[in-house]
Amino acid sequence: MTSAPPRPEASYAPAPDPDDPPLRKLYRSADGRMLGGVARGLAGHLGLPVSWVRVVFIALFMAEGMGALLYAAFWFIVPLGVGGVDATRANASAAAPGLLGKARGRTGRKADRGQILALLTLLAGAAVVASKFQLGRANAYVWPILLIGAGVALVWRQADNARRAQWREMGRRKGLLPFVRGAAGVVLVGVGVTGIVVLQSSVRHLGMALQAALAVLVGIALLAGPYLVRLTQDLSEERLMRIRAQERAEVAAHVHDSVLHTLTLIQRNAEDPREVARLARAQERELRAWLYKPEGRGKDEEQEPDTLAEAVRKAAAEVEDHHGVPIEVVVVGDCPLDERLGAQMQAAREAMVNAAKYGGEGGAVQVYAEVEGRTVFVSVRDRGPGFDLDAVPGDRMGVRESIIGRMQRNGGTARLRSAPDGGTVVELEAERLPDDG
Amino acid sequence: MSSDAAQDGRTGGTAGGGRAGGGQAGDGPARTVRVVLVDDHRMFRTGVQAEIGRTDETGVEVVGEAADVDQAVTVITATRPEVVLLDVHLPGGGGVEVLRRSASLMADPERPVRFLALSVSDAAEDVIGVIRGGARGYVTKTITGTDLVDAIFRVSEGDAVFSPRLAGFVLDAFASTDAPPVDEDLDRLTQREREVLRLIARGYAYKEIAKQLFISVKTVESHVSAVLRKLQLSNRHELTRWATARRLV
């Protein structure tokens, strides 16, 4: 029972990931970064001192904000990892390398905010670049399109982030932030589409605009679809794993401890066959109760039984434990216990004790209980030498008093006879009390 | 999970009385029954083999063993035994799958292969499932060697073998309900059948039942076979529910 849980993604082949080519070696550095870790990562990747890279970026920034655009683009696209180092080697101890086609290093909430910051920077940079071009009349479209782009990008990143969060086993925290981000993406898209319409300030193009909007939405669905599908798969996978783990913990708590305990005791009592048999039987009973009871959990043997079947099984279990003779119980039908049946159970228990004491040498004692309408019938049968009731020795006076007498006092009957092929049969019959008291 | 009943308990003993051929002490068995063991626990197979495999004493010859469904079907087809001891829980689809894939062998009019189910399970759906799948009997693995040999001979002759527990399940399943029977012949047990089952559930052997009810052992056997047929063919709600609870049938 110590098999490792199946890998979360073992059940389906991960779809190729358009923004994550599997062989990428460039990562942003999570350690010793100033802003996004781009420079450090790039430096590590190119094998250059980090200061050189930073200088180059700053120089580029002077040139028409190119540096900012470039930096933001890197920030946005390059995943966070162990900059420049072969990540799978660096993360050899991390769980399931290659889980997402690559291994990523530590990412914090800082990165989430960083992503948005990077986006804004990217947008600003893009706007700066765009304003350099002569767009003429198309200028009106630039901002809405940028907004739409931002929306799409947000939805993208959200799916990706959620997957990463799951991989980092942070799936347990409330997924409010991803949801908000997703909503923000949708709103942005909406605003962008509306913006187009408003800027056109005419209803003539409304149809066209709606078509455009539809196209945009379909586009987003196409873009985000795979991520969302994979996301839900990941989450349900994770839920399944959690349920399995709980189930296993429960089984362990209920069963394994006591089984191991019993096995230990059996080893220590190896030279006492009677005790070994008793231990094994007790454990078998417990396990069966747990396995085959309805809804899969047996009642504790300590608890007071409240139905006939439970009472019969409990009595048999106690006698079995006490006398070390196996008792086979078959029960047909069931009913709640009442006073009369309680007396019948005590008589039945006495009969089992007798069967175990005087007939246990012949093998297992067979107990059969049946509820048919208002009648409850219990039979206890052993394969011992049998006995003649008229010549009962003194120590078996218990039979007369505690079995026959008790049944008669409670309006039932008890019959003792010899079985056809040897052994003794005790038959107890009682009527249930009327339900209304 | 040894079948070696050290305390020689008749735990889960069959309702078998001694009969010609079956494990009788004395001048050896009258005939030999060829048996295949299907069980995924090697220890259990070894134990059973040790207990019943001494052909000159028991009259049982183990001609093959299998540990999963595919193996079982292959071995059974190759050796054509008279009786297969079939574990209910097997890798590859369980005993029921073996039964399903051996249907043509079971139905062979000349040399039918007959199945006796063995299990440690107490679950009604397991028991009822294999019986509905075509097994001619069900005994628990705690059965003694003598009783097992007896059950094998009984099954090889086309009779049914009910453990007390199976009898209890059947009585439960056919308990008088208010639901009108769909098929009068199949959905009800006769008074006599009920009496026989009750005595089996109480741990009586066939011979004892015969004495108790003043009928012949042959009549007891025919009652039990009739019950088996009803079990396999009836569409009573409980039976169907049990059998489909684990997609057994």
Side-chain angles (χ1 to χ4, degrees):
Chain A
M1 293 294 289
T2 53
S3 61
R7 284 202 356 224
E9 297 215 348
S11 57
Y12 64 95
D17 201 339
D19 82 332
D20 276 343
L23 283 173
R24 174 193 290 142
K25 284 267 173 55
L26 176 60
Y27 296 97
R28 288 186 289 115
S29 173
D31 301 318
R33 56 184 182 172
M34 288 175 80
L35 198 55
V38 173
R40 184 166 286 277
L42 208 57
H45 181 63
L46 299 171
L48 298 170
V50 67
S51 50
W52 289 21
V53 182
R54 284 188 178 137
V55 166
V56 170
F57 266 118
I58 290 166
L60 281 172
F61 188 80
M62 298 301 164
E64 303 275 358
M66 204 61 171
L69 181 59
L70 203 60
Y71 192 94
F74 269 117
W75 193 348
F76 182 61
I77 292 169
V78 178
L80 196 62
V82 184
V85 188
D86 186 343
T88 44
R89 243 187 308 138
N91 281 341
S93 61
L99 195 65
L100 302 173
K102 61 180 180 291
R104 287 185 172 126
R106 176 174 68 84
T107 45
R109 296 288 302 271
K110 197 170 163 185
D112 285 341
R113 245 172 284 133
Q115 297 284 9
I116 295 175
L117 197 58
L119 259 175
L120 294 178
T121 325
L122 180 63
L123 284 176
V128 170
V129 172
S131 64
K132 295 288 164 204
F133 296 109
Q134 288 304 311
L135 289 173
R137 292 189 54 215
N139 227 346
Y141 292 98
V142 171
W143 280 110
I145 285 172
L146 282 178
L147 278 174
I148 291 171
V152 173
L154 270 174
V155 173
W156 263 16
R157 294 303 323 183
Q158 184 232 314
D160 194 38
N161 280 347
R163 220 179 41 190
R164 203 171 352 161
Q166 184 255 2
W167 181 64
R168 289 201 317 261
E169 292 176 31
M170 286 175 61
R172 279 162 191 272
R173 74 187 164 117
K174 289 274 183 288
L176 192 64
L177 188 67
F179 175 78
V180 168
R181 276 214 305 270
V186 173
V187 168
L188 277 173
V189 171
V191 167
V193 173
T194 323
I196 292 177
V197 180
V198 171
L199 284 167
Q200 288 301 314
S201 68
S202 81
V203 190
R204 265 184 315 152
H205 298 286
L206 187 63
M208 267 172 55
L210 282 178
Q211 278 178 9
L214 194 65
V216 168
L217 288 174
V218 169
I220 291 169
L222 285 175
L223 289 172
Y227 292 108
L228 294 178
V229 167
R230 192 179 311 176
L231 179 68
T232 51
Q233 278 176 329
D234 281 0
L235 286 177
S236 64
E237 191 81 35
E238 194 226 10
R239 202 166 40 232
L240 188 70
M241 300 276 296
R242 216 170 36 230
I243 290 169
R244 275 204 198 127
Q246 275 170 357
E247 184 81 5
R248 185 174 300 152
E250 196 180 322
V251 172
H254 264 86
V255 177
H256 294 181
D257 282 358
S258 72
V259 171
L260 288 173
H261 190 74
T262 305
L263 289 172
T264 311
L265 284 174
I266 285 177
Q267 289 172 57
R268 286 175 53 181
N269 290 293
E271 64 292 330
D272 180 359
R274 241 188 121 81
E275 181 65 7
V276 167
R278 195 188 65 77
L279 283 166
R281 278 293 291 185
Q283 185 56 62
E284 181 190 359
R285 229 175 31 231
E286 197 175 311
L287 193 56
R288 280 181 188 284
W290 199 83
L291 286 172
Y292 302 125
K293 278 276 168 61
E295 88 269 349
R297 63 194 57 192
K299 262 197 164 177
D300 226 334
E301 281 188 356
E302 308 310 310
Q303 285 174 332
E304 210 45 51
D306 47 19
T307 71
L308 180 98
E310 281 172 14
V312 173
R313 292 204 174 93
K314 183 166 186 277
E318 285 167 3
V319 175
E320 194 174 64
D321 268 357
H322 197 266
H323 296 275
V325 174
I327 299 183
E328 292 291 316
V329 183
V330 176
V331 184
V332 174
D334 202 359
C335 68
L337 278 181
D338 60 32
E339 215 172 301
R340 273 189 195 167
L341 299 189
Q344 188 185 20
M345 283 304 105
Q346 288 175 315
R349 185 200 173 92
E350 198 60 40
M352 291 180 214
V353 170
N354 273 324
K357 268 189 1 204
Y358 301 103
E361 298 309 307
V365 174
Q366 294 274 353
V367 175
Y368 173 75
E370 183 181 31
V371 180
E372 204 183 13
R374 310 296 307 169
T375 311
V376 178
F377 172 85
V378 180
S379 135
V380 178
R381 187 243 158 102
D382 66 55
R383 294 183 175 271
F387 70 98
D388 181 358
L389 188 62
D390 298 330
V392 177
D395 68 336
R396 294 197 67 165
M397 280 305 290
V399 172
R400 282 225 175 87
E401 193 38 43
S402 58
I403 298 179
I404 301 173
R406 183 177 273 147
M407 287 306 290
Q408 282 170 346
R409 280 196 298 277
N410 284 279
T413 56
R415 280 208 311 268
L416 271 79
R417 37 199 193 85
S418 295
D421 274 7
T424 309
V425 184
V426 179
E427 292 170 350
L428 311 171
E429 208 165 307
E431 291 289 317
R432 289 162 60 189
L433 287 170
D435 290 328
D436 52 7
Chain B
M1 194 168 318
S2 148
S3 67
D4 177 28
Q7 14 75 342
D8 81 339
R10 282 184 43 91
T11 34
T14 68
R19 49 196 285 125
Q24 296 298 295
D27 46 5
R31 66 188 186 91
T32 306
V33 179
R34 301 170 71 252
V35 173
V36 164
L37 300 180
V38 180
D39 196 301
D40 52 331
H41 295 94
R42 196 176 48 78
M43 267 171 69
F44 182 77
R45 291 203 307 272
T46 312
V48 170
Q49 169 78 297
E51 275 199 317
I52 68 172
R54 298 182 309 276
T55 311
D56 48 350
E57 286 173 43
T58 60
V60 172
E61 186 193 354
V62 179
V63 295
E65 293 187 10
D68 62 37
V69 170
D70 291 349
Q71 263 184 44
V73 174
T74 311
V75 170
I76 292 165
T77 312
T79 56
R80 292 306 296 272
E82 287 163 83
V83 176
V84 178
L85 289 187
L86 181 66
D87 187 14
V88 173
H89 296 284
L90 270 185
V96 172
E97 181 65 14
V98 178
L99 289 161
R100 205 180 55 76
R101 285 162 62 178
S102 312
S104 58
L105 296 175
M106 272 193 269
D108 184 341
E110 291 298 312
R111 295 165 52 212
V113 176
R114 298 193 166 105
F115 288 81
L116 173 60
L118 277 115
S119 175
V120 289
S121 167
D122 275 349
E125 59 262 34
D126 289 353
V127 184
I128 301 291
V130 287
I131 295 293
R132 281 176 81 85
R136 301 212 44 90
Y138 180 96
V139 292
T140 45
K141 286 187 177 178
T142 45
I143 187 170
T144 61
T146 319
D147 284 341
L148 183 55
V149 168
D150 204 63
I152 289 169
F153 271 87
R154 205 174 278 289
V155 166
S156 75
E157 287 160 24
D159 288 325
V161 173
F162 279 27
S163 67
R165 191 169 299 283
L166 174 55
F169 283 146
V170 177
L171 284 168
D172 242 342
F174 283 97
S176 37
T177 53
D178 301 336
V182 182
D183 184 332
E184 193 66 43
D185 283 344
L186 290 177
D187 293 355
R188 288 248 168 96
L189 297 177
T190 66
Q191 192 53 41
R192 221 25 164 180
E193 287 163 355
R194 202 176 287 278
E195 283 169 355
V196 169
L197 281 179
R198 227 182 240 125
L199 288 169
I200 293 177
R202 288 173 59 180
Y204 282 54
Y206 282 21
K207 222 165 38 172
E208 293 181 299
I209 297 170
K211 279 186 195 164
Q212 180 92 21
L213 300 177
F214 304 107
I215 53 180
S216 71
V217 173
K218 206 74 213 138
T219 312
V220 174
E221 281 170 3
S222 66
H223 281 311
V224 178
S225 293
V227 172
L228 185 80
R229 191 177 138 268
K230 289 181 183 184
L231 259 186
Q232 290 174 340
L233 299 176
S234 165
N235 282 321
R236 271 195 75 85
H237 169 69
E238 288 84 354
L239 293 175
T240 323
R241 179 173 57 85
W242 278 343
T244 52
R246 297 195 185 173
R247 298 193 299 279
L248 284 162
V249 172

